[in-house]
Amino acid sequence: MSPPLDSAAPPTAPASPLDPAALALALERKVSGEIRFDPGSRALYASDASNYRQLPIGVVVPHTVEALAASIGVCRKFGAPVLTRGTGTSLCGQTCNAAVVHDASKYLNRIVSIDPQTRLAIVEPGVVCDRLRDAAEVHRLTFGPDPATHSRCTLGGMIGNNSCGAHSVMAGKTVENIEALEVLTYDGLRMWVGPTPEAELEEIIAAGGRRGEIYAGLKAIRDRYGDLVRAQFPKIRRRVSGYNLDALLPENGFDVARALVGTEGTCVTVLHAKAKLVYSPPVRVMVVLGYPDIYIAGDRTPFVLEHKPVALEGLDQAMIEDMKRKRQSLDDIALLPACGAWLLTEIGAETPDEAAEIAQRLIASERAAGALSDARFHPAAQDVRKVWAIREVGAGACNAVPGEPVEPHAGWEDAAVDPHRVGDYLREFRKLLDKYHYRCSLYGHFGDGCIHGRITFDFRTSQGVAHFRNFLAESTDLVVKYGGSISGEHGDGQARAEFLPRMYSPEIMQAFREFKRLWDPQNKMNPGKVIDPYRVDQNLRYGPDYKPLQPATRFSFANDFGSFAHATERCHGIGKCRNTRNATMCPSYRATGEEKYSTRGRARLLSEMIRGDSLTGLWQNEAVKDALDLCLACKGCKGDCPVQVDMATYKAEFLSHYYEGRLRPRQAYSMGLIQRWARLASHAPWLVNFVTQTPGLSTIAKVLAGVARERTVPQFAPHSFKKQFGKRAGRGNDNRRVILWADTFNNYFHPETALAAADVLEAAGYQVTVPRAPLCCGRPLYDFGMLDTARRQLQQIMQTLASDIAAGVPIVGLEPACVAVFKDELLNLFPDDAIARQLSESVHAFSDFILASGWQPPRPLGERAIVHGHCHQKALWGMNPEVRLLEKLGVDFKLLDSGCCGMAGSFGFNPDHYDVSIKVGEQVLLPAVRDAAADTLVVANGYSCREQIAQCTGRRALHIAEVARMALTRTNEKS
């Protein structure tokens, strides 16, 4: 019989109160690293990717492994509990605690060595999984486990949780891929552990001391409980729940390292790991098998496994529909056949022909079985990556779905059963979900029987929390019925530890307690997790007591039910913003490696601000202001984040309140109001340029304007675009009128871009008109929170162009940041305004409009180019129009994975931001431009991007409108 639900109890309180100030001072004296006990840092590390929140005592970011050891030594003297974490993407609350949190991810990230002969790598705990995999691939090796967070999760975190991932079918869990560990106990013992032959075990015990005591205790646990472990541990590959006592069995080599894998920081701190590397098949192809529903996909899993895939993942229709409603990854989703569920089957082979043969044999076999609805074979590497991208955003795909009032949560998302029983288990699990009226998408590592799903738990009411707890109890019993494990990947932490006694006998639970006590007799290592845990309904981040502030805002936040608090709750902590490649977000994190400058870090601080207890002062909070200061407002998070956190908007909203009743920085009045100054300067651009370009005078001008001395002030054009365009005779078809949006940058600084666009539009048969009134969308205003002014300028646009908007006259924009205002901020400021919505629909980016017009270039250009995409464009409508237009123009181009340019409007001109601006640009974009041949075109639509390129490389970048006009001018030259 299962034990009662109230059997778990929280850890006992410390015997004497801790003095955090004295502890912080001692750490500062003894530890090389960043010691952070301030409210902002504590708030930043209060949560992970789980449902839980606990304010830490303080945070230590050690510079070296030795500093980490020294810090734990200081904490020991004060009796302070400790917790070491990596990226903090744990889903079960393992990486938040009322302890001194040590962040290993920022500095402890060295790959010490890779030996391709022995296939072993020695790493520090903060090494990111993908970094190790990339380094190993040079030798045609890889680190097998690869969770969906592989682009940012650390080896230390993977060891703590015994992580797995999609390729565990090929390589097993983390535990099977660890050869040895260097560990530190709370009481100061530092040693390497691993497999221990019996003779060596006896020698260690005979030597005595703390090491001998531990090994003697481990031997006693093995001898006392070994037969029970053999009999009671689930016979499945994905048994992650509990401690790995099976590693101590003689037949498993008394492997102390593997026994410590998955202990979630409750026993030791890992200082180094010796990781096994496995052979990496050089050819990977993808077969997507489509079935009527997820249950039939589960039924077919064992038969697909007979074809020896290196990965086998399942997806259901609910997840894909949620992504479609968010307009997320639509190009990737197009690679799936139209079915109710899918098995993503990756085949590894030595050659493409061998891979294709296996793939076709698999498809033929499934067709013959009669259950298959459809199938797709994707041999191209880029398509394989796109299909994997669908799976990897699955954890956030069902969150922040428009129109869904109840958010799904983690809490029961990785139970594992025998792969042969997946279909039957899913059918019963769905009945249980229906019983509790929960919505849930189902997906996961079907090849290992591990099922994921985010469920619509109600944590806001006492009744909802009670239902949640009862559901977990019944779900545990269901998994146990199937001989499975309540955790198949993410560990126990707080989310499942309370239910371990329903999975294991009292004797096995006692063995776990003895194992924990042996390593950590004082219970100072991540207390309250796994053993003697907090209840599953304690420490909830958004529990019944959560009553956030609901301040009035300038933006409507209509997609978040009009609530800024709800907007800050979008972030669930999965940390995709800590990715360092293949995305735009988060440029300031990439440049600094600092959590508070990631999208997640900022969202967490804003959420704590709205909570109002750990961070006070609401809009005046300096910790929040500091974190937002390095936000480039690139909007990369709005496009890349699975839950579409929109930090640019949150920053603008915060600053609009922060500066109420106080002066803004000088740059706000110089660059924020650039449209007004540019208009004045256009009357005597030569005079303004003389002042800004003359040594001495330019220095004074930059100081007055709040511009970094290292920057060059952009020169005004001798004649604005509007002035030049006004002298042109009317061209084009009167019946096909289009408004060319003369934004501030292309009007006053780069009129050649707007003139090129006018030429191409006219060649496409349109009559181009330009508003005579000095209209401006106000893009620079948002960077300084000048939202009232921005709102007035948008109202002026709607009033001035009212008749054109009503007539549906298309408006073509050249500057992506300005087009983004009409597509994004306009609707957020005027959510219920029909004219605003019509204006938004009337605005088109140049490439989009030209493609839709049907215009055909007179001849292919035959040029080579590198292309940098503007962040706002990548976030809101993507680079596909640029790709298609360049293909149409006959340009041989490479689209750079360059993230943000680093200039980001006024950001890169700010003296306090200059270094970060350059670091961001130097990651990909600027080196790529320098490496490009002199006759290779550099294409970048954004004014800021072109300015960063010009100032840092001396190369002039072209807007795509200028590239399109090249086709016209060369035709004229030829004729």
Side-chain angles (χ1 to χ4, degrees), residues 77 126 136 188 322 388 475 515 571 947:
K77 291 179 180 178
D322 285 343
W388 275 125
S475 297
F515 184 84
C571 178
E947 194 62 36

Side-chain angles (χ1 to χ4, degrees), residues 872-884:
H872 290 183
Q873 177 170 351
K874 287 184 283 191
L876 296 181
W877 64 92
M879 291 299 293
N880 191 48
E882 262 56 34
V883 168
R884 289 169 53 209

Side-chain angles (χ1 to χ4, degrees), residues 172-308:
K173 308 186 294 292
T174 295
V175 68
E176 285 94 37
N177 293 274
I178 294 298
E179 177 74 11
L181 296 174
E182 185 188 23
V183 299
L184 176 72
T185 63
Y186 186 77
D187 52 19
L189 176 64
R190 181 172 176 175
M191 60 180 175
W192 278 91
V193 298
T196 316
E198 197 69 20
E200 182 183 345
L201 173 60
E202 295 302 330
E203 289 177 8
I204 294 171
I205 294 173
R210 179 72 172 113
R211 185 182 184 216
E213 175 190 331
I214 290 174
Y215 274 74
L218 294 175
K219 180 185 177 185
I221 291 172
R222 177 197 71 180
D223 294 343
R224 188 179 306 120
Y225 299 104
D227 288 341
L228 286 172
V229 168
R230 293 184 184 95
Q232 295 185 15
F233 270 36
K235 305 299 188 291
I236 60 171
R237 293 186 67 186
R238 283 296 190 100
R239 196 254 343 134
V240 170
S241 278
Y243 291 149
N244 293 326
L245 300 185
D246 53 335
L248 299 177
L249 298 175
E251 59 266 33
N252 294 327
F254 200 84
D255 195 327
V256 179
R258 293 188 176 186
L260 287 169
V261 171
T263 53
E264 305 180 20
T266 63
C267 296
V268 298
T269 296
V270 174
L271 302 179
H272 286 97
K274 184 182 289 186
K276 288 186 174 183
L277 304 175
V278 298
Y279 178 69
S280 178
V283 176
R284 307 283 185 101
V285 300
M286 179 68 74
V287 176
V288 182
L289 303 169
Y291 298 94
D293 58 49
I294 197 68
Y295 316 110
I296 294 175
D299 293 338
R300 297 306 304 169
T301 292
F303 300 98
V304 176
L305 284 173
E306 293 175 1
H307 296 264
K308 307 298 182 185

